[in-house]
Each structure stands twice: as structure tokens, then as C-alpha cells.
Amino acid sequence: MTLRLPFATALSAIVLTLAPAAQAADYPSRPITLIVPFAAGGPTDVVARTLGAELSKELGQPIVVENRTGAGGTLAAAYVANAEPDGYTYLIHHNGMATATALYSNLKFDPLKSYAYVGEVVDVPMTLLGRKNLPPANMAEFIEYARANADKINLANAGPGAVSQLCGSLLQQALGVKFTTIPYQGTGPAMAALLGEQVDVLCDQTTQTIPHIAAGNVKFYGVTTQERISKLPDAPTLEEQGLKGFEVKVWHGIYAPAGTPPAAVSRFNSALKTALKSPAFTGKMADLGAEIVSEDRQTPESLQKWVKSEIDKWTPVLKAEGMNVN
């Protein structure tokens, strides 16, 4: 016996079968929102808006950058984790994606399960600075001074979970000392305190520190990357100067809600790889001291592996510092 489907039913089945392919071919068909967890004008926001302009050219649709600030970036991360997984909402986030599990007890997302990973974008090196009149003239002297005067040293950072806080925590552990830590509401106020000689030491990213280093407004002790950086080619790394294995950098990745169609993620990733090569983007990042990640890191697999490794790296550091926001 042959079962014959009514024409309308058969047609519906065909349409449903072809719909995903049609959607993939048409994607994107409307503006895409890129969520930034931090304030407009900040380093991550600058990366997002510069990148968004290039992505828009590749995707043929506007990239709407939306700032959703608060709770160290976790509000934005939770928003994207719970957004409709249709390929029209993405998140750009930095190291905070990996430190959130150690800092916050009641997260509304899981960094390893709540997202479809897209790829890494740029790294921003960190620098170790002292106030202009801090006695040590170089890193060797700073190490000796820090160990002899730890209880007198004030260490500024941009707040819990900020990369400046992570850098400061790792520095104290590497030196085997405990400074007085003073958190500020962002990198701007922390830098202002250092320039005003209200604090002694600060780790901060090159996007903010290079002008002050060039002007001689601060004592500069080195960069926190494994290799020297192009913007400061003569500046030695902290590892070169005795802190073996010391590495801290601001890294940025892009995420979509878990369940986002693979075709949409693949299309966005392809546009990302092209955007990262554009002269407009590479030129702006070079001005900021940011470094485009290598092609092998511009993949979903690489970003997922990196987030896991960063969680494993920073969780014990933060727990040793007794850091927990809630």
C-alpha cells in the first residue's frame, strides 16, 4: 500500500528541509548586535567598534555595538548566554570570561558551556609601572625593594577581576610578598592615582601606559608578555628580569549563545578572519599597542581551549588571594 501525502503537507516538508540551507545562504539578513561588557570609550569598546566597522563591510549588515556594563562584565556575559541563539547577538569579552567562575558564586552562565565560540581577536600587553619618584630605577632594584618594603607599598588596580588586579596578584605571588591593594573604579582612576603619587605601583595595559612611559611620567619596569613587544622593543620582559614564567596580557574573544547555528558562527568567523587583516583595523590596533592574534588562534576551537587554560591558571591565583565578589 502506498501512502500518499496531501500536496500541501508534502510541500511543507520540503520547505522545512530546505529552510536551514536558505537561512545559511541569506545570513545575515539584518543588523547584528555586538555586546561589550564595559563602558564606551574603554579599551575593549575601542577594539569592538573598530572591529565592528570592518565586520560590517564583510557581512553586508550593520554591526551595532551595545555597552552593557556592570558586575565585572558578568551582566553582559549572562545577557548573551541567554539571548536568542539566532546568529544576531555576539559578545566580545576579555580575561573576565575566565576569571568569573572564581570571583562570582552565583553566575548566570557557564564560560565553558553557555556559548558557541567564534575566535580570538587581539592581545594587549601589560606593563609594570611605579610612581615617578619610587626609589627603584630598574626591575632588579624593584624586586629587592619590594621584598624589603612590602608592607609600605600600595598597589593600585582597576577593581576585582580587572586584568590589572590579576597582574598585581600574580606579581605578589611571584615575589612572595603582600602589598596593600587599593582597587579603583576603572583603569583611568587607577592611573590618575599613580600619576598623582597617591599609590606606588600599577600593572596596566599598553593602550593607556605608552604615552606616560614615553613622557617619563612613571617608572617603567618592564612588560608582562613572554616576548618583547614592537611598541617598546627595548623594554625587557619581567621574565627576562628574573620572574620566570610571568605572563599577563589582556586577550579578547568573541562568543555567541550556545545553540547558534553552526553556519552562522562559521560565516561570522570567516568575516572575523578577514577583518583582522584589514589595514584600518591593524593600523588602529598598532597605535594602541595591541597585537592581532595569529591565524591559528582565530578559530572557535582555539578560543575554547584558551578559555579553559585561563580558568585553570587564574582560579588558584584568585583563591590564594581570597578574592570573591559574591
Side-chain angles (χ1 to χ4, degrees):
M1 172 176 150
T2 301
L3 179 62
R4 295 184 179 276
L5 293 174
F7 176 76
T9 303
L11 181 60
S12 297
I14 293 172
V15 170
L16 289 173
T17 301
L18 295 178
Q23 289 172 1
D26 294 343
Y27 177 84
S29 59
R30 54 187 171 86
I32 293 171
T33 300
L34 181 60
I35 302 294
V36 177
F38 309 107
T44 301
D45 181 73
V46 172
V47 172
R49 292 179 188 276
T50 308
L51 181 63
E54 299 307 305
L55 286 171
S56 180
K57 296 175 185 177
E58 294 302 316
L59 294 169
Q61 291 290 340
I63 302 295
V64 180
V65 176
E66 181 179 327
N67 302 88
R68 286 183 171 263
T69 63
T74 61
L75 294 184
Y79 174 82
V80 173
N82 292 287
E84 185 70 25
D86 56 7
Y88 289 92
T89 303
Y90 291 85
L91 169 73
I92 183 168
H93 204 347
H94 67 15
N95 310 51
M97 181 64 82
T99 60
T101 54
L103 290 171
Y104 297 89
S105 304
N106 300 303
L107 287 179
K108 305 301 182 184
F109 63 93
D110 183 330
L112 297 177
K113 298 179 181 179
S114 298
Y115 304 96
Y117 293 79
V118 179
E120 293 182 70
V121 182
V122 295
D123 292 333
V124 183
M126 300 288 286
T127 52
L128 178 62
L129 308 177
R131 56 180 165 82
K132 187 175 181 179
N133 60 355
L134 196 67
N138 53 52
M139 190 61 191
E141 292 182 11
F142 176 82
I143 292 173
E144 183 178 351
Y145 179 85
R147 287 173 173 161
N149 300 278
D151 59 337
K152 301 175 184 177
I153 294 176
N154 293 324
L155 171 68
N157 66 47
V163 184
S164 57
Q165 188 267 334
L166 301 180
C167 183
S169 296
L170 192 62
L171 177 66
Q172 292 174 85
Q173 291 189 23
L175 295 175
V177 299
K178 188 72 174 178
F179 300 143
T180 300
T181 299
I182 302 178
Y184 288 84
Q185 295 296 316
T187 56
M191 177 58 76
L194 186 73
L195 295 174
E197 300 179 359
Q198 299 162 356
V199 296
D200 302 305
V201 183
L202 171 68
C203 282
D204 200 2
Q205 54 189 298
T206 54
T207 49
Q208 179 163 248
T209 64
I210 284 178
H212 297 299
I213 292 170
N217 296 331
V218 293
K219 286 284 181 70
F220 174 44
Y221 295 117
V223 296
T224 66
T225 47
Q226 291 285 290
E227 299 178 355
R228 296 191 182 196
I229 62 175
S230 58
K231 268 293 186 178
L232 299 166
D234 298 325
T237 68
L238 298 192
E239 182 174 57
E240 284 180 71
Q241 301 179 88
L243 299 187
K244 297 302 179 184
F246 195 101
E247 182 180 25
V248 185
K249 59 187 176 183
V250 183
W251 50 268
H252 298 78
I254 294 183
Y255 312 80
T260 297
V265 174
S266 178
R267 177 75 181 91
F268 198 94
N269 176 262
S270 178
L272 172 65
K273 290 178 177 178
T274 302
L276 294 182
K277 296 176 183 176
S278 70
F281 185 75
T282 57
K284 179 66 173 180
M285 294 303 102
D287 290 342
L288 296 174
E291 301 178 342
I292 312 298
V293 301
S294 58
E295 289 189 16
D296 61 305
R297 291 175 56 195
Q298 299 168 16
T299 67
E301 297 77 15
S302 177
L303 177 57
Q304 187 171 27
K305 183 178 179 181
W306 180 252
V307 172
K308 176 63 167 61
S309 70
E310 286 286 279
I311 291 173
D312 293 342
K313 174 181 178 176
W314 290 111
T315 296
V317 172
L318 293 170
K319 286 186 175 180
E321 287 288 299
M323 292 297 301
N324 188 269
V325 179
N326 63 25

